[in-house]
Amino acid sequence: MTQTLRLSRRGALALMSGGAALAGPAAARAALDPAVFTHGVAAGDPTQGGFVIWTRATGQSGAAKLRWEVAEDEGFTRIIQSGTVQATVARDHTAKVDVTGLRAGREYVYRFHSADAVSPVGRARTLPGGEAERARLAVVSCSHYGFGYFNAYRAIAELEEPVDAVVHLGDYIYEYGVDGYGGPESRALGREHDPAHEIVTLDDYRRRFAQYRTDPDLQAAHARAAFITVWDDHETANNSWMGGASAHDEDTEGSWDQRRDAAIQAYFEWLPMRDPAPGRPAHVLNRVYDFGDLLSLIAVETRLTGRTQAPSASREMIFDAEGRPDAARFEAEVLNRLERSMMGAAQELWLEDALTASVQRGTTWQMLANQVIVARMRAPDFMSVMPEDLLQEAMSRPGSRRWLESTRLGLPINLDAWDGYPAARLRLYDAARRSRSNLAVLSGDTHMFWGNRLHDPRDESFVGVEFGTGSVTSPGGYETISPDARIYEVAEKALVAKNPDVRFAHVRDHGFLIVGITREALTCDYHLVADIKARDSRVRRFARITTDRAGGFQVTED
């Protein structure tokens, strides 16, 4: 069972502010370079024997030599591991330590110091080993700095019952400039992106990460629990794939590979995770986290390793002799091509091996940390389900009119998700079946909340479950169809009615998931924050889904 380090409220505040007394000889501290800790602390990539700890510090001469400590108690009287590390200019003044030799299923505190300067103090848990009874994860995604305050991160930091880890499913940063997506909202809030232009170079990506990591709410979440992170597209560029991105123009923005590599370098510098192994491409991000014999959390990479370009109905639609869109032929001849890939052949083989190994070890659950929605999700014909007055108002908007008319085709609503790669999804389902996995999927990307029961389209048999989290701040999109609040209820009901995979939909609000895992069941609690236009960490649970290994699926809305 996971052991918890008990902190008083006063003690917790002291840790967050770096107020705990320094331990160790004064002479050892004095030998260190004076430095300033500018972006808090963080931990990540937990194992049963340790985790990675991170900070950023600037010294008078550029590089800063830091001392780090990991302890069992908030007063740092029982220091378990310690050492020194350099925060160098070559890594944008960031420093990481892969801490090992810790006990499984325990919570520790950690900090850095340099001369008389002490960093804030963070907490992190090692993964449980052996016969683990339960695990608890927070799940987040899509945190655009300009759309609002990071109240979801603050709410996670203030949870009364701590989580074993925070799983971030991507879009940790956004690449847009102040004239792009979220520009007007960011100006209204005074949270405009830095640099002001769309980021392309290594310096650009570093500055953007630095801006996000100055946010006190994000710092608080990082200091509260270890993060397990995967990227989606906006850590590089919108709708990225292995050969480019819809938002990347090589004529004006240079080589895609150079931009991708710059983005990945900054990502590894600024997030608390192990660097790629020597000889392993940096964009290959798949990993396995074992929570004893209870859960294998398997992080997959669905953007840069093996994803082919997403299909496009606007670019590749097939028309009949009268010039009308032929949706059936588009699906058969374009969408269902066998060569369409989300992960690439090598990662598909790796994933099946990981699933099989987990089952053979006797692990109860196999869970994917995955970026985009897996479930089949076709567009309802919104023109037939919307109230007449709401439809007329929405049709008066040119952009809304085009989108509403397109829903009559009944195509998948998002071809940049697994729906755009149906052959790859079948290969995923086959791997889960061959391995006899108890499959659960965590997904982000859509800025909406989902509860999905996955079925194989070949025979409609049960494959697994999927929990989709809403965003930290990024908007869902239905508010652009109509400002009338009825649009949300119409969309939610229509999406559930249209799609047998979709059992629960909430297409408004911002927040996060808390997923509880026991041998008998998974329990997903859906949380929304009160507001994102002001700092406000009030949060409430608005739904719960409980599922068991047999595929039972109970939805309770609060």
Side-chain angles (χ1 to χ4, degrees):
M1 181 183 298
T2 300
Q3 300 294 312
T4 302
L5 176 63
R6 299 294 181 188
L7 297 180
S8 66
R9 181 171 179 81
R10 179 175 295 178
L13 292 173
L15 291 182
M16 288 294 297
S17 65
L22 286 174
R29 300 198 304 271
L32 299 174
D33 299 325
V36 178
F37 295 97
T38 55
H39 290 80
V41 297
D45 260 2
T47 67
Q48 292 171 6
F51 39 71
V52 172
I53 58 175
W54 176 99
T55 194
R56 187 173 191 259
T58 56
Q60 295 177 350
S61 60
K65 186 177 182 181
L66 311 175
R67 184 169 181 81
W68 59 270
E69 298 166 335
V70 176
E72 292 182 321
D73 67 307
E74 60 186 89
F76 283 82
T77 62
R78 298 192 300 277
I79 295 175
I80 305 302
Q81 299 284 10
S82 64
T84 59
V85 65
Q86 292 272 358
T88 65
V89 176
R91 294 188 65 92
D92 201 20
H93 303 281
T94 65
K96 289 194 288 191
V97 179
D98 188 356
V99 181
T100 60
L102 306 181
R103 298 179 66 181
R106 297 296 181 99
E107 186 171 79
Y108 295 88
V109 293
Y110 62 92
R111 68 183 177 188
F112 299 82
H113 57 85
S114 178
D116 290 329
V118 61
S119 75
V121 177
R123 294 192 285 173
R125 297 170 183 265
T126 54
L127 301 183
E131 296 181 359
E133 297 177 8
R134 64 188 70 249
R136 193 166 185 261
L137 304 172
V139 183
V140 292
S141 75
C142 303
S143 43
H144 188 295
Y145 189 84
F147 274 114
Y149 292 99
F150 290 163
N151 294 327
Y153 289 138
R154 175 64 63 175
I156 290 171
E158 295 178 352
L159 288 170
E160 290 187 11
E161 183 181 354
V163 295
D164 292 288
V166 177
V167 182
H168 200 299
L169 296 174
D171 296 346
Y172 183 100
I173 64 167
Y174 280 73
E175 82 281 16
Y176 298 101
V178 297
D179 294 328
Y181 178 60
E185 292 83 358
S186 70
R187 284 189 288 272
L189 281 178
R191 284 172 68 87
E192 294 174 277
H193 269 144
D194 176 59
H197 56 266
E198 182 174 336
I199 54 177
V200 176
T201 68
L202 176 58
D203 180 65
D204 290 343
Y205 284 101
R206 284 171 164 174
R207 284 176 59 182
R208 189 62 54 86
F209 270 105
Q211 179 186 37
Y212 275 61
R213 294 296 293 274
T214 60
D215 186 273
D217 302 318
L218 179 53
Q219 287 189 18
H222 271 298
R224 178 65 187 267
F227 271 52
I228 294 171
T229 58
V230 294
W231 55 60
D232 195 18
D233 54 338
H234 292 293
E235 287 87 350
T236 48
N238 185 47
N239 292 344
S240 57
W241 54 289
M242 63 180 178
S246 67
H248 181 76
D249 183 349
E250 293 213 343
D251 291 336
T252 60
E253 295 174 314
S255 160
W256 167 249
D257 287 353
Q258 290 181 0
R259 182 178 185 178
R260 178 202 64 194
D261 292 347
I264 291 173
Q265 180 176 336
Y267 187 90
F268 276 102
E269 289 172 350
W270 277 89
L271 287 177
M273 56 195 303
R274 290 172 186 83
D275 289 340
R280 178 182 169 97
H283 58 268
V284 178
L285 198 63
N286 40 43
R287 293 152 292 161
V288 179
Y289 301 88
D290 284 318
F291 292 70
D293 62 356
L294 178 65
L295 169 71
S296 290
L297 179 66
I298 304 172
V300 296
E301 200 289 309
T302 62
R303 281 289 174 190
L304 306 176
T305 301
R307 181 195 277 242
T308 55
Q309 187 173 18
S312 169
S314 62
R315 188 180 64 244
E316 300 174 89
M317 178 54 68
I318 297 172
F319 297 89
D320 64 17
E322 285 74 37
R324 295 170 300 192
D326 190 332
R329 283 190 62 197
F330 172 76
E331 288 205 52
E333 299 176 25
V334 178
L335 204 56
N336 284 301
R337 291 175 183 164
L338 294 178
E339 66 269 21
R340 293 203 182 278
S341 169
M342 281 288 276
M343 297 188 297
Q347 189 177 186
E348 287 179 0
L349 291 173
W350 172 88
L351 175 57
E352 183 164 357
D353 287 346
L355 291 169
T356 301
S358 174
V359 173
Q360 290 179 347
R361 289 193 300 271
T363 306
T364 303
W365 296 97
Q366 290 71 44
M367 181 178 287
L368 302 187
N370 155 78
Q371 293 83 350
V372 296
I373 292 293
V374 173
R376 292 171 294 168
M377 200 173 292
R378 291 184 178 273
D381 180 358
F382 279 105
M383 296 187 67
S384 67
V385 299
M386 291 175 68
E388 184 63 26
D389 63 326
L390 181 58
L391 176 62
Q392 291 304 316
E393 190 279 330
M395 291 288 282
S396 68
R397 303 162 179 268
S400 297
R401 183 185 189 95
R402 289 192 297 272
W403 186 81
L404 289 167
E405 289 175 343
S406 74
T407 66
R408 286 179 161 172
L409 297 175
L411 289 169
I413 205 163
N414 181 11
L415 298 183
D416 195 52
W418 284 85
D419 258 339
Y421 304 79
R425 180 167 54 200
L426 291 180
R427 294 194 294 270
L428 170 65
Y429 288 175
D430 287 342
R433 283 183 155 176
R434 285 192 294 264
S435 63
R436 300 183 180 276
S437 295
N438 288 317
L439 184 68
V441 181
L442 305 177
S443 301
D445 179 63
T446 64
H447 315 164
M448 304 173 195
F449 294 94
W450 306 99
N452 302 326
R453 194 174 186 273
L454 304 176
H455 302 87
D456 189 323
R458 293 167 292 194
D459 58 9
E460 295 301 325
S461 58
F462 172 70
V463 178
V465 297
E466 179 177 35
F467 305 125
T469 185
S471 69
V472 174
T473 58
S474 303
Y478 281 100
E479 68 280 356
T480 66
I481 305 301
S482 172
D484 190 320
R486 289 179 296 165
I487 190 67
Y488 300 119
E489 184 177 1
V490 168
E492 289 161 3
K493 288 183 176 179
L495 286 160
V496 172
K498 175 73 173 179
N499 296 288
D501 281 5
V502 181
R503 299 298 179 89
F504 172 74
H506 185 91
V507 302
R508 59 196 126 169
D509 298 312
H510 307 276
F512 57 92
L513 307 179
I514 297 293
V515 181
I517 303 104
T518 66
R519 295 193 187 284
E520 293 74 28
L522 303 176
T523 301
C524 183
D525 287 335
Y526 293 73
H527 291 80
L528 62 84
V529 294
D531 187 19
I532 61 169
K533 299 305 182 184
R535 292 197 186 277
D536 186 344
S537 61
R538 289 177 297 162
V539 64
R540 72 174 178 88
R541 190 187 75 185
F542 65 91
R544 166 175 283 186
I545 293 178
T546 303
T547 183
D548 57 28
R549 286 181 284 173
F553 204 86
Q554 180 178 353
V555 181
T556 305
E557 297 190 55
D558 296 342

